[in-house]
Amino acid sequence: MSKGYLQNDVFSEVVALFCDMMRENVVLNCYTLPVVLKSCCKLLALREGEEVHCIAVKNGFISNTYVGTNLIELYSAGGRVACAYRAFTEMVDRNVVSWTAMINGYVANGDLVSARRLFDLAPERDIVLWNRMVTAYIELGDMMEAKRLFDMMQCKDLMSYNTMLNGYAKNGDVEGCERLFESMQEKNIFSWNGLIGAYAHGGRFLDVLDAFRRMLKETDVQPNDATLVNVLAACARLGVLDFGKWLHKYVEDNGYKGNVYVCNGLVDMYAKCGLVECAIDVFESMDKKDLISWNTIINALAVHGHGANALSIFSKMKNAGEEPDGITFIGILCACSHMGLVEEGLLHFHSMTDEYLIQPKIEHYGCVVDLLARGGLLEQAVEFIHSMPIKADSVIWTALLAASRIHKKVEFAELSLQKLLELDPSNPANYVMLSNVYGEAGKWEDRARLKVAMRDTGSKKVPGWSSIQTQDGVAEFYCFDERHSKTEEIYHALTGLTKLLRLSGFRTDLTELELET
DNA sequence: CTAGGGTTAG
C-alpha cells in the first residue's frame, strides 16, 4: 500500500498509513521505516521525520543501513546538515550509498569543501558517487575541477559523459560540448539532448534544428519530450512555422498528446509564430494543464491583442484551482495595458500583492509604468516610479519613453532619456532613441548632429531582431532594417497598410516607416 | 517489499 502511494508521489498518504499502523499496533519490520522516512523527506516534514527517528530508536531499527541513509537524506533536505552528519557517524554499517547521501547533503547545503573531504575519505567510490561529485562542481560552475575529476574516473559510463555534456551546456561552453559529443563512441537520447540543450542555451537555434534533423536521419535514437520541447522552442524563436507544424504532427503520431511539457511548447510555438488560433486549439485539447500552460496561453492572447480573452482565461484558471504566480500577472498586466484598462490593471496589480502575496519584481513595476504611461497618465507613471521600492532600470525608463513618443510629450521623453543616459552612458541604443525623439519633435538639426557624433565614435546599436519563415527560408530582420533585397517593396507595402489603417480611423504614425537614405 | 547519478516548458 505504501509503495503504491510512494510511486504515485502521494507522500502524505504514506505518513497517514503509518499513523494507522501505529494506532493499530502493527509490528514493524525493516522495510517499514525507510518508506516512511523517504515520504517525510519528500514532504520536508522534518518534525514528523524526527518522530519516526525516535520510533526507529525505540524499536531497534536504528542500526539498519536503509534507515540511517534515509535519515541522512531527511535532515539534509531540511537543511540540518549537522543532524545529518550525526546520523551518518552513528551508523553501524555505512555503505557507498550512505556516503553518497552524506556527500549529497553537504553539496545541497553549499558546503563543497566538506563534500570533497568525505569524497576523498570514502572507502569505496562507485560510478554514481563519482558522477555526483562531478555534478557538484558543474553546479558550482567550476568546470575545471569537474573536468579534472572526470578525467580521473576509471569507470566512466555513458551517464558520466552525458553529465559532462550538460555541464558544458549549462556553463555556456558550446564548443566544449560539441568536442566531447563528437568524441563519444556511444550516444543515447540524453547525449543528443545535451548537445541540443547547449545550442538552445547559447541561442543557436538553427543549430538546434540541424542537430535534431541529424539525429533523426543518421541514428536510431528516438527523441523524447525534452528533445521536442527544445526543438519547439527553437522554432518559436526563429518563427519556423512549417517545421513547427511538422513537429505538431510528429507529436500526435508519437503519443505525446498527453505530455504537458510538449503541449506547452506547441502552444508557445504557435503563438510566437503568429497563429494564436492554433495555440488556442492545442491549449483547449489538453486535458491536463499546469501553471505553465495557463501562463503561456494568457501571454499569447495578451500580446496578440486578445486582452479580453486573456482576462477571461485568467478567471477560468482560477476557477480550475490553479494558483497564479508572478509570470501570470506579467501577462495580465500586459493584457490590460494593451487594452487601455488602466483601472483594471491597477486592481490586478494590487490583488497580486495583497491577495496572492506575490512579491512584485522589477518587471511588474515595469508593466505598471507601461500601463499608466500608455494610458496617457505620464505624470502618474513618473510618480509611481518614484514610489517604487526598487531603483528603476533602463527597461522602465524605456517604457516611459515609448509612451511619451506615442502621446507626443517631449518633456517626459527628455526626462526618460536623461535617466537612460545616466544609467548607461555608453549604450548606443540610448542615442538612437534620443535621435528618434528629436526627429519626431522636428528638431532635425539636432538629430543629424547626433547621427554624425554616433558615426564618429563608432558606436553601433546591437539591434534586437525578429525572424519569420518565407519561401526562401528564414528571414531575420530588425527595426529600420534595410538589408533585404526587397526592402523598397516591403516598406512600400507597410506604408500602404498604415494608410489603410488610418482611413479606417486608427491613429498611426508614419514617420517610423520612412526609409533613411 | 527498502537508500544514491543525466535532459525539458511560460
Side-chain angles (χ1 to χ4, degrees), chain A residues 18 38 50 65 88 195 197 238 259 261 364 380 422 494 505:
Chain A
F18 180 66
K38 183 171 183 77
E50 280 175 329
T65 310
F88 177 73
L195 181 72
L238 291 167
N259 187 296
Y261 280 77
H364 297 105
Q380 267 176 260
E422 277 170 27
L494 275 172

Side-chain angles (χ1 to χ4, degrees), chain A residues 198-225:
Chain A
Y199 288 137
H201 193 80
R204 289 169 52 173
F205 303 113
L206 285 171
D207 289 325
V208 170
L209 301 189
D210 284 342
F212 179 69
R213 289 199 189 96
R214 208 177 116 202
M215 186 184 107
L216 288 186
K217 214 175 137 194
E218 297 169 14
T219 74
D220 294 328
V221 180
Q222 291 297 311
N224 67 8
D225 51 356

Side-chain angles (χ1 to χ4, degrees), chain A residues 211-282:
Chain A
F212 179 69
R213 289 199 189 96
R214 208 177 116 202
M215 186 184 107
L216 288 186
K217 214 175 137 194
E218 297 169 14
T219 74
D220 294 328
V221 180
Q222 291 297 311
N224 67 8
D225 51 356
T227 326
L228 294 167
V229 160
N230 264 327
V231 176
L232 281 167
C235 291
R237 290 293 297 265
L238 291 167
V240 194
L241 180 58
D242 62 351
F243 198 54
K245 281 181 172 166
W246 183 89
L247 282 165
H248 189 179
K249 190 166 183 319
Y250 183 94
V251 162
E252 291 189 332
D253 293 345
N254 289 276
Y256 286 102
K257 257 184 142 172
N259 187 296
V260 186
Y261 280 77
V262 171
C263 290
N264 290 346
L266 274 175
V267 172
D268 195 48
M269 182 277 295
Y270 276 124
K272 293 272 159 59
C273 289
L275 301 194
V276 219
E277 292 305 327
C278 293
I280 297 171
D281 286 345
V282 175

